[in-house]
Amino acid sequence: MTMPLYILLFIFPIDQLSLPNTTNSVILFFSLLGDLVTNPWILTLFIISLFASAAQSANTPNWLALITDVNLPEHRGAVFSIANLFNSFGRTVGNLGDWGRFGNFIDVSRQPKRLHCDDDDSAAAADPIRAMLCDYGEV
C-alpha cells in the first residue's frame, strides 16, 4: 500500500502553488499552510502523504511479528541478524542512490563566484549574511 501512494506523490501535479519571493522560512511555512487550505492540489498531496506515512509506519511491528511467527525458535536469532543486515544494507544503497541522482544536478561551471572580503568591504557591512561569511572565511 505504501509504494503506490509514494509513486502517486511523484506523478501528482503541483498546480497553482504560489510562494512568496523570500528566503524567510517562517513566511514560507505560513504561505504553505495557506496553500494547504486554499489549494486543493496541495491538500490532496498532504492527504496522500499522510496515508503513505501511516502505511509505512505499520510495517515495522508487522515485520518483526512475521519473522517471529514464521521461523523456528532455534533459528530466530540468525534470521533477525540476516534481516537486520539486509535492512541496513538496503538503507545504505538507497542513500547512495539519492546522492548519485542529486549529484547529477550540480554543475560546477555554474557555481557562484566566491566573494572577495576586504576589511573595508561596504557590501559586507550592508549585508549581514555576507559579513558573517566573510568573518568565518567561508567565501
Side-chain angles (χ1 to χ4, degrees), residues 115-131:
L115 298 174
H116 296 288
C117 301
D118 299 328
D119 291 333
D120 58 347
D121 193 1
S122 60
D127 185 8
I129 295 175
R130 181 178 175 145

Side-chain angles (χ1 to χ4, degrees), residues 4 11-12 14 18 21 34 43 57 59 67 75 91 122 126 130-131:
I11 62 173
F12 205 81
I14 302 177
S18 60
N21 190 10
L43 180 63
S57 67
N59 180 33
I67 288 179
H75 298 296
R91 288 181 182 177
S122 60
R130 181 178 175 145

Side-chain angles (χ1 to χ4, degrees), residues 6-36:
Y6 280 126
I7 291 171
L8 185 62
L9 281 175
F10 282 106
I11 62 173
F12 205 81
I14 302 177
D15 288 342
Q16 303 162 356
L17 179 65
S18 60
L19 293 175
N21 190 10
T22 182
T23 58
N24 187 344
S25 59
V26 175
I27 294 173
L28 288 172
F29 175 73
F30 284 114
S31 174
L32 282 172
L33 282 180
D35 277 343
L36 188 66

Side-chain angles (χ1 to χ4, degrees), residues 12 16 35-45:
F12 205 81
Q16 303 162 356
D35 277 343
L36 188 66
V37 175
T38 59
N39 190 346
W41 294 103
I42 303 300
L43 180 63
T44 305
L45 283 171

Side-chain angles (χ1 to χ4, degrees), residues 68-130:
T68 303
D69 289 342
V70 169
N71 296 294
L72 296 172
E74 58 267 15
H75 298 296
R76 284 185 189 151
V79 171
F80 272 114
S81 297
I82 292 169
N84 284 327
L85 175 72
F86 279 101
N87 192 11
S88 299
F89 180 74
R91 288 181 182 177
T92 303
V93 170
N95 289 336
L96 291 175
D98 285 341
W99 278 107
R101 183 177 65 216
F102 291 122
N104 291 334
F105 293 115
I106 299 173
D107 185 7
V108 179
S109 65
R110 302 179 102 186
Q111 293 294 320
K113 293 182 180 178
R114 297 177 64 82
L115 298 174
H116 296 288
C117 301
D118 299 328
D119 291 333
D120 58 347
D121 193 1
S122 60
D127 185 8
I129 295 175
R130 181 178 175 145

Side-chain angles (χ1 to χ4, degrees), residues 44-64:
T44 305
L45 283 171
F46 178 75
I47 292 170
I48 292 171
S49 66
L50 185 70
F51 283 127
S53 297
Q56 184 176 4
S57 67
N59 180 33
T60 303
N62 292 335
W63 179 74
L64 294 173

